């Protein structure tokens, strides 16, 4: 069993909720690891440390609430967020914002080039042969 990452900004429950959400957006396949398998959530502090205090507070509340939802309902909420970009329905704007935040956080961590300390597999950037450089 993988050790639970710690965070200066999120509780263990909130981290586990982020992993659940990350696994819905990035479930993995034969080539790529899932969000959880990659272990990139260990680096969440590097991303949320720069968040506005009010946004971070709302993220904490959201992740806490999402933790208590059954996976099927969590999947439907994520699906509504994705659907909101293509259809107009009541609360579509709210679901788009939800998707921007959760999907953005999960994908920022996943494609950061940083993986968990116990993950021996190549990260997604290595698998794609992509190595960005800043000069």
């Amino acid at each position: 069993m993988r050790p639970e990452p710690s965070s200066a900004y999120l509780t263990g429950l909130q981290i586990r909720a982020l992993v659940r959400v990350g696994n819905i957006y990035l479930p993995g396949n034969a080539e790529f690891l899932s969000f959880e398998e990659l272990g990139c959530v260990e680096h969440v502090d590097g991303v949320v440390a720069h968040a506005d205090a009010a946004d971070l507070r709302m993220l904490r509340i959201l992740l806490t609430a999402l933790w208590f939802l059954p996976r099927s309902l969590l999947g439907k909420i994520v699906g509504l967020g994705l659907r909101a970009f293509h259809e107009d329905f009541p609360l579509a704007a709210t679901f788009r914002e939800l998707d921007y935040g959760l999907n953005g956080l999960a994908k920022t961590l996943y494609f950061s080039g940083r993986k968990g300390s116990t993950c021996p597999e190549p990260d997604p950037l290595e698998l794609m042969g992509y190595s960005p450089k800043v000069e």
Side-chain angles (χ1 to χ4, degrees):
M1 186 171 172
R2 174 176 288 136
E4 186 171 305
S6 62
S7 169
Y9 302 95
L10 302 176
T11 67
L13 182 139
Q14 293 161 345
I15 291 172
R16 289 190 301 277
L18 177 57
V19 169
R20 289 178 73 209
V21 169
N23 281 339
I24 292 171
Y25 285 114
L26 301 153
N29 59 28
E31 188 176 3
F32 291 90
L33 297 174
S34 70
F35 183 85
E36 182 174 13
E37 291 167 331
L38 188 62
C40 55
V41 76
E42 286 182 19
H43 306 287
V44 70
D45 281 2
V47 176
V48 299
H50 306 287
D52 176 74
D55 290 342
L56 183 56
R57 186 172 51 255
M58 292 308 296
L59 176 64
R60 288 182 188 133
I61 291 168
L62 176 62
L63 289 174
T64 300
L66 293 178
W67 168 251
F68 292 100
L69 296 179
R71 189 181 191 311
S72 60
L73 185 55
L74 184 58
K76 288 181 197 267
I77 289 171
V78 167
L80 281 171
L82 296 170
R83 196 177 109 202
F85 289 97
H86 307 289
E87 298 176 33
D88 192 25
F89 56 89
L91 298 177
T94 301
F95 281 100
R96 280 192 297 274
E97 287 182 31
L98 183 70
D99 186 71
Y100 277 131
L102 294 175
N103 196 354
L105 179 56
K107 288 183 178 170
T108 295
L109 288 166
Y110 191 82
F111 293 106
S112 69
R114 303 181 76 192
K115 57 188 179 182
S117 57
T118 61
C119 181
E121 302 296 323
D123 69 62
L125 298 180
E126 293 169 325
L127 287 173
M128 294 186 294
Y130 182 70
S131 56
K133 295 181 182 163
V134 178
E135 295 185 24

